[in-house]
Structures are given as structure tokens and as C-alpha cells.
Amino acid sequence: MNMTLLFLVRLFLLLPPTAGLAFREISPLKAAMLTKNWQGLLAEVDQKVGVVPELGGTSVGMMRFGPELERRTLCKRQFERFHEANLGLALADKSEGEEAVTAMREALPCLQIAGYRRGARCCVYACLTSPATMTLLERGCNEEESKNGGGLSGWWSVLGLTVNPTERDAGTIVAAEAAALSELCGLVSAGGGEGLRVETSVKATLAGCDEALGLSPLDGEGGAWHRCEL
């Protein structure tokens, strides 16, 4: 059996029976495992493959270039951060006692974003249908940020959004990003939050334009965040 397929089968067996059918929360450990696999797939599709009729239909590869190469380079770095963050969260969650778990989550350097420690409230939401997406979310307002007057109370924060790197169609990727953000907006509303915001470095990795993803600069945040309304 193909090693990639074997990995995905094993991962699927770890998930609840309905996990592949809807947008739902998954554990940081499962997210880290899947991200590690996606990192390998990302390297495989960094070349843009085409068929040359003059060569008898032979497939040839060429390195991507231009804006798409720049975005995919950012995506590669985000995959690295996404894996590091979720692996750190998974290890922290193995600590004994709620206080120890929170302390270890808050100590993760990769989750000190926009000047504040965000690990304590982080979780991962995923849709594992094709094309699969995973989102690292700070659920609920950051109490330290609100206390210091550095943020808006009640805002939930997208700290990472990844799409299965084997998907090549730009329109499909944008639709998957929009679907994930729309689901998150629904979760925020259901949870009594004020709104959903996307961290600027995450926005730079998204294939969709601001209009397609419902993004606009969040006033008073110094360009660090973008409001999402879908």
C-alpha cells in the first residue's frame, strides 16, 4: 500500500466516525500528524506539471514562479509553524493538571503572536473532505490582551489556515478557505463572540482576495489583524 495512503488510513482510524463528514474540532496531536504529512506533499507539488504534446504527451515539471511561488513559500513557512504549534500544544496537553497544561501552552514561543501569549485558548478545526482544511484558532478573547487595552474583547483569532497542498485549482482552494472561515464565523456567533479576526501573516498565505474571504482591516489594531465577515 502507498505510504501516503497508509498514513491517511491510520489517521482516519484515530478520528471519530463522523469526522470526515463535517467541519469539526480535532486534537492538536492529530493536526500535527496531518500537517507533517502535508509538508511532504507540499514539497512534491512545488513544481508545476504540464503535458507537452510535441514530446508525445510527456509530463514535464517546472518550478513555480511569480506571485504563486511567493504565496507558496509563505505557505511552506506556515505549515512549519502550524506543525510546531500543534505539536507543542499536544505535548502541553499531556501535563498533569489544568494549571500545568495552561502554563505549558502559554509558554510556547511559536504562539506568542502580535505581542501576546495565545496558546491557552488554542484549538484546531478541520474539514477533512476534499480539499481538506485545518484552522488554528484562539477561541474566545485573549484576557491578557483585553486587560491591557491592546485588543477588542470578544474577538476570536485565526492563527493559521491550511489547505491540502495537493489541490491545484485556485478556485477550489479559495472556496475551501471561504468555507472554513464561514464555519468559524458561525462558531463565533454561536459562542457569543463579537467577531472573527485573521492575523496578517496568515492572510498573506491565503489564495482568496479580501472580497472573496470577507476580509477588511480591523481599526485600531495597527495592521496586525483583519476582520472576517462571511
Side-chain angles (χ1 to χ4, degrees):
M1 181 182 290
N2 179 277
M3 290 301 294
T4 298
L5 179 59
L6 179 61
F7 174 88
L8 293 176
V9 170
R10 287 176 175 171
L11 182 63
F12 180 80
L13 292 175
L14 290 173
L15 296 168
T18 59
L21 303 179
F23 189 83
R24 61 179 296 128
E25 185 175 356
I26 64 173
S27 73
L29 178 59
K30 292 165 187 170
M33 292 171 61
L34 187 54
T35 306
K36 189 67 174 178
N37 179 258
W38 283 6
Q39 285 179 289
L41 296 177
L42 181 65
E44 293 176 10
V45 298
D46 268 346
Q47 287 194 341
K48 188 173 183 178
V49 177
V51 176
V52 181
E54 291 79 6
L55 298 178
T58 303
S59 295
V60 297
M62 59 181 293
M63 292 304 296
R64 296 178 183 272
F65 56 90
E68 177 63 7
L69 175 59
E70 182 179 355
R71 187 185 72 82
R72 290 183 70 84
T73 299
L74 293 175
C75 286
K76 181 179 180 180
R77 293 172 185 163
Q78 179 172 234
F79 275 119
E80 293 169 353
R81 292 194 298 268
F82 204 94
H83 178 262
E84 180 185 5
N86 281 291
L87 186 59
L89 291 171
L91 293 174
D93 290 347
K94 292 183 178 294
S95 303
E96 294 186 10
E98 185 176 343
E99 289 185 3
V101 170
T102 299
M104 286 197 66
R105 278 172 159 254
E106 288 186 340
L108 293 172
C110 58
L111 289 176
Q112 295 188 20
I113 298 171
Y116 292 93
R117 297 172 296 177
R118 304 188 181 277
R121 292 179 174 271
C122 277
C123 58
V124 183
Y125 280 89
C127 176
L128 298 182
T129 55
S130 181
T133 63
M134 288 192 292
T135 306
L136 182 62
L137 178 73
E138 184 184 26
R139 183 166 46 195
C141 65
N142 185 291
E143 294 177 1
E144 181 183 10
E145 186 178 8
S146 295
K147 186 184 300 182
N148 293 338
L152 302 174
S153 61
W155 286 78
W156 295 22
S157 307
V158 175
L159 307 178
L161 199 168
T162 61
V163 180
N164 186 333
T166 59
E167 178 55 58
R168 296 175 181 272
D169 181 74
T172 302
I173 295 172
V174 173
E177 293 172 347
L181 291 172
S182 178
E183 292 280 2
L184 292 171
C185 286
L187 288 174
V188 173
S189 178
E194 184 172 346
L196 182 72
R197 62 182 185 176
V198 178
E199 201 268 325
T200 294
S201 67
V202 176
K203 175 182 175 295
T205 69
L206 302 177
C209 64
D210 288 358
E211 182 179 3
L213 301 180
L215 299 176
S216 59
L218 193 54
D219 294 339
E221 293 297 292
W225 300 97
H226 282 68
R227 175 199 311 266
C228 179
E229 296 177 297
L230 283 175

